[in-house]
Amino acid sequence: MRIKVCGMTNTEQVMQLDALGVEFAGFIFYPKSPRYVFRHMPRPEIKKIKGQHINKVGVFVNAPVEELLQAVDDCGLHLVQLHGDETPKYCEKVADYVGVIKAFRLREDDQVLWKIKDYQEIADMFLFDTDGTGYGGTGKKFNWSMLKGININKPFFLSGGIGPDDVEELTGFAKDPVAKDLFSIDVNSKFETIPGLKDMQAVEKFIKAIKQF
């Protein structure tokens, strides 16, 4: 099971994640987020981050394409996560340059296959998160069962308020047929001491538990 830890704002903690075998570190490039990376780290510092395992994911919300691509170059990003209302045409422009994870914020009454259909041939991966006011993570879990019994047919990240106590529930979800496309889980606020700084002991314990299945 791959793991993405999002909302990173500290180089030392990113390197700790790498030492733990975490595959993805998320950096938020949305100025309204309390985890906005440029409040904490300049572009050259982000670009210098290199590890054995870690891939740098830039999280953007409705950013101008040129601004996004400049950040990809300046910060040495491996992937971008589009967490706003980006159109398929927008995603296509970005996907011509860098790998794209298109995020979908889900409500209980959403038809998942309908929401993703126009992005199926464009995005490299999907991410499913909880819907809330504004953009970005809510720290709340959505009803994962709404994904069960459908064929996503695209590697996806499972997000939405995943915390230290969710190992057993994740193990159960991983046994459902929909999980054949489960590429990674995505964690953030439930592992923080303050926004942007992680409780690394809690992260390490969670990683060890998750990596067992």
Side-chain angles (χ1 to χ4, degrees):
M1 180 70 72
R2 300 175 189 86
I3 297 174
K4 172 173 171 271
V5 182
C6 203
M8 302 306 295
T9 60
N10 178 280
T11 296
E12 183 180 344
Q13 289 202 337
V14 176
M15 297 316 296
Q16 286 177 280
L17 293 180
D18 183 61
L20 292 169
V22 172
E23 290 86 359
F24 302 98
F27 301 85
I28 296 176
F29 291 80
Y30 180 47
K32 293 183 180 180
S33 170
R35 301 165 186 85
Y36 180 47
V37 70
F38 287 148
R39 283 199 202 97
H40 306 274
M41 305 170 72
R43 293 171 189 246
E45 183 178 352
I46 302 169
K47 188 162 190 174
K48 284 180 183 175
I49 295 174
K50 290 181 173 64
Q52 295 294 312
H53 308 280
I54 212 86
N55 292 278
K56 292 178 286 187
V57 182
V59 180
F60 296 86
V61 175
N62 302 329
V65 172
E66 297 76 13
E67 179 184 303
L68 181 153
L69 297 183
Q70 190 65 57
V72 169
D73 284 345
D74 290 349
C75 300
L77 303 179
H78 300 100
L79 292 164
V80 298
Q81 176 179 318
L82 304 178
H83 215 92
D85 306 308
E86 296 87 2
T87 64
K89 184 176 284 189
Y90 177 105
C91 292
E92 194 167 20
K93 287 181 183 176
V94 176
D96 284 340
Y97 193 78
V98 67
V100 167
I101 305 164
K102 181 65 184 91
F104 298 92
R105 305 182 305 279
L106 300 181
R107 298 189 303 264
E108 284 282 341
D109 58 349
D110 276 332
Q111 298 295 316
V112 177
L113 294 180
W114 178 260
K115 287 198 79 163
I116 67 177
K117 68 180 181 66
D118 291 338
Y119 299 85
Q120 192 75 45
E121 301 301 321
I122 297 168
D124 296 285
M125 288 174 273
F126 294 146
L127 180 145
F128 298 112
D129 199 358
T130 316
D131 189 45
T133 56
Y135 300 98
T138 64
K140 297 177 182 177
K141 196 179 284 92
F142 69 91
N143 182 7
W144 298 346
S145 64
M146 66 190 296
L147 297 176
K148 293 182 177 181
I150 62 177
N151 183 16
I152 303 297
N153 202 30
K154 177 79 67 177
F156 69 89
F157 289 71
L158 185 67
S159 189
I162 295 172
D165 299 327
D166 289 323
V167 173
E168 188 174 337
E169 192 174 353
L170 285 164
T171 304
F173 182 83
K175 294 174 182 175
D176 189 88
V178 71
K180 71 177 177 59
D181 294 317
L182 177 58
F183 184 75
S184 176
I185 59 172
D186 181 294
V187 302
N188 189 350
S189 61
K190 297 289 187 183
F191 291 88
E192 289 185 327
T193 53
I194 59 172
L197 286 179
K198 303 299 186 271
D199 177 343
M200 293 306 298
Q201 285 187 322
V203 171
E204 182 174 1
K205 183 178 178 182
F206 180 76
I207 290 166
K208 287 179 177 177
I210 287 293
K211 293 290 187 181
Q212 288 178 358
F213 71 89

